[in-house]
Amino acid sequence: HARYTSKMQEANALAVSDGYPNLPACIKDRVNMGNESLTSVATYFGVSKSTFAYWTTKLGLTFRYVAIAPGEFIRIESPRGVI
């Protein structure tokens, strides 16, 4: 896993105190399931958008925006199975 900066360590502690296993899981869940913008997640952690973008790059997280029509769906697969 990526080496955390001191601010990332603080954010990881916040994520764990909120019930997430770690910082990347918290970020993914808040964006994917919570329908939060990247800006609002950065605000949650108390960092700038550019710092948050650096974190996501450092953690290997990527974000893709997909437009779908009514009645269409997307399927996301990972090594752990279908999400």
Side-chain angles (χ1 to χ4, degrees), residues 12 27 46 49 52-53 57-58 60 70 73 79:
N12 189 65
I27 293 170
K49 291 185 288 185
F52 185 70
T57 301
K58 187 172 175 104
F73 66 94

Side-chain angles (χ1 to χ4, degrees), residues 20-76:
Y20 296 98
N22 55 38
L23 180 57
C26 179
I27 293 170
K28 290 188 308 182
D29 190 57
R30 292 181 78 91
V31 172
N32 293 335
M33 305 304 179
N35 294 316
E36 289 187 54
S37 69
L38 298 179
T39 301
S40 70
V41 178
T43 301
Y44 166 77
F45 288 118
V47 296
S48 68
K49 291 185 288 185
S50 60
T51 297
F52 185 70
Y54 168 75
W55 287 6
T56 60
T57 301
K58 187 172 175 104
L59 294 170
L61 299 174
T62 58
F63 299 92
R64 304 280 195 266
Y65 295 92
V66 179
I68 57 174
E72 294 179 335
F73 66 94
I74 59 172
R75 177 182 165 124
I76 301 172

Side-chain angles (χ1 to χ4, degrees), residues 28 75-83:
K28 290 188 308 182
R75 177 182 165 124
I76 301 172
E77 295 183 17
S78 78
R80 297 183 318 265
V82 177
I83 298 172

